[in-house]
Amino acid sequence: MYSLSRPRACALAALAALALAAPARAGGGSRLLYLEAQAVAGYSTAARDIIYRSAGRDDMMQKTSEGIDYIQKFSSESGDWGTLAIESRLVWDPGSRALLQPQLYNGYFKARTPLGYFWAGHNRIAMGLESYFDTHAALLQTLQMYGAGFDRDWGAGYSRDFDWGDAAFSLTSGSGMPLFLNGNYLAALRVCEGALGRDNYNNSFYAAAGKIPDITGYHINDRQPKDYSVIGSDFAYLWNRYELRGDVRVGQRGGESIYAALGRFGVNLMEENRLKLEVQGVGTRSDLGRDYFLSTGLVYSLTADLAFRTMFEYEKLGDDKRLITQLYYYIGL
């Protein structure tokens, strides 16, 4: 059994140092470095108090933090052939297991070849909306935040674009945010028809299977991996100023049935998408029982670098009503 969850601060520091020390041009190429900072606060009726997070205490979601987003492109005369991506934060969360917690989101290298793209490190797996829909700064989340998926995972993957869409495969640890190895693994395959940036829609089917431990954020709840299998479908449609997204998955984990479904509708109310209103519903079923979440969110871009977000979410099982606000700053250096 091997876990890197405890010394992750050293790993994050090493990755950040690598990013900052990388040359602006490495055999041809370029780099981008962004600074992010956010302040998060709200009120929870279940806690009957002010909270400084957008979801559960151990969840990898929005909390007051500072971080970097670094991208290094490697290229030759024939074009780009590799990308190094590092995205990490230092989170402040009073009352949690650690007042200051380093977090790593992206930490991978991706190579472009004639056969497609190969990556290794900490990246998105080939499963659901979270495989491509970036919610790193958002208050409204996809199914991984509701105990039915993975925001990032440690391992390797492959993807290839086609005229009709794309296909992706990943083989990862199934431990999510920390690198934890105890006979656990997760294989996932996703096939998608349509390209959102070109066709304004995509539809996909995916499947995943393996043995995974029970982990929330960086906290390991149960070190013993359990059998896991799931199939699902996700879609996204963009029309004029309207957006529609959905994701449905069913399966089993350790003999218990898994069911999760998400639907989201959004409308852009101002030019350049400066103001967006979104409404979302999520339903889940597990050994803890049935639950559903109803959410509405508003995003307003105050400037090109500063955004204000607010979200109201109702959770039935926990009988919790949360009103969360966020100021998010993201600027290139």
Side-chain angles (χ1 to χ4, degrees):
M1 182 170 58
Y2 180 48
S3 172
L4 289 185
S5 58
R6 289 183 179 178
R8 62 183 180 273
C10 295
L12 287 176
L15 287 171
L18 174 62
L20 295 173
R25 305 187 64 85
S30 60
R31 70 176 181 183
L32 297 172
L33 179 62
Y34 296 90
L35 171 69
E36 72 159 19
Q38 63 176 321
V40 179
Y43 184 82
S44 165
T45 59
R48 296 183 180 180
D49 200 357
I50 295 174
I51 58 176
Y52 300 94
R53 47 188 167 80
S54 63
R57 188 173 299 281
D58 290 328
D59 291 324
M60 298 299 298
M61 278 307 99
Q62 308 312 329
K63 302 174 183 179
T64 298
S65 62
E66 292 185 355
I68 62 165
D69 186 6
Y70 175 82
I71 301 174
Q72 171 78 56
K73 291 285 188 179
F74 300 89
S75 63
S76 62
E77 294 181 357
S78 59
D80 291 344
W81 59 267
T83 302
L84 173 66
I86 299 172
E87 189 173 29
S88 65
R89 294 173 174 172
L90 182 63
V91 168
W92 176 76
D93 187 13
S96 67
R97 301 172 191 273
L99 180 61
L100 294 176
Q101 181 189 66
Q103 298 178 350
L104 175 68
Y105 284 80
N106 292 335
Y108 66 86
F109 182 82
K110 179 187 290 187
R112 179 182 181 183
T113 75
L115 298 177
Y117 296 89
F118 295 86
W119 65 265
H122 196 233
N123 196 11
R124 304 172 186 275
I125 68 171
M127 178 176 166
L129 286 176
E130 61 264 37
S131 66
Y132 70 93
F133 190 32
D134 188 8
T135 59
H136 177 72
L139 294 180
L140 267 65
Q141 291 295 311
T142 49
L143 286 179
Q144 84 280 355
M145 182 41 49
Y146 300 93
F150 298 83
D151 187 75
R152 305 288 199 281
D153 203 6
W154 292 92
Y158 165 80
S159 63
R160 183 169 182 175
D161 296 329
F162 299 93
D163 292 337
W164 47 265
D166 63 84
F169 172 79
S170 60
L171 180 60
T172 57
S173 67
S175 60
M177 300 306 289
L179 176 56
F180 175 80
L181 302 176
N182 187 29
N184 46 289
Y185 70 94
L186 181 66
L189 173 67
R190 180 176 181 268
V191 178
C192 178
E193 189 268 329
L196 196 60
R198 180 192 65 201
D199 306 318
N200 290 329
Y201 79 92
N202 61 30
N203 302 290
S204 87
F205 292 92
Y206 57 87
K211 292 179 177 292
I212 66 173
D214 183 8
I215 295 177
T216 304
Y218 282 104
H219 180 64
I220 302 174
N221 304 311
D222 187 349
R223 295 174 177 268
Q224 186 61 39
K226 295 181 180 180
D227 290 336
Y228 177 86
S229 61
V230 68
I231 59 173
S233 177
D234 67 81
F235 68 87
Y237 294 96
L238 308 180
W239 178 67
N240 199 355
R241 57 181 180 149
Y242 304 102
E243 302 178 5
L244 183 63
R245 304 178 193 270
D247 199 345
V248 178
R249 62 191 61 165
V250 296
Q252 287 193 336
R253 177 175 181 175
E256 298 286 346
S257 297
I258 298 171
Y259 168 81
L262 176 149
R264 180 186 297 189
F265 173 76
V267 55
N268 292 292
L269 300 173
M270 295 180 64
E271 294 182 357
E272 300 178 347
N273 300 338
R274 290 189 61 193
L275 180 64
K276 177 185 287 188
L277 175 66
E278 296 178 295
V279 179
Q280 176 171 286
V282 175
T284 65
R285 187 180 67 198
S286 67
D287 57 338
L288 298 177
R290 298 173 183 267
D291 200 2
Y292 66 79
F293 302 78
L294 299 176
S295 313
T296 182
L298 188 70
V299 182
Y300 179 58
S301 298
L302 299 168
T303 68
D305 306 317
L306 182 63
F308 169 78
R309 296 183 177 92
T310 185
M311 175 187 73
F312 174 80
E313 183 167 72
Y314 168 68
E315 179 190 357
K316 178 182 181 297
L317 192 62
D319 191 24
D320 190 17
K321 303 175 185 69
R322 294 186 294 271
L323 179 62
I324 309 297
T325 59
Q326 174 204 45
L327 275 176
Y328 184 83
Y329 187 62
Y330 186 82
I331 187 172
L333 300 178

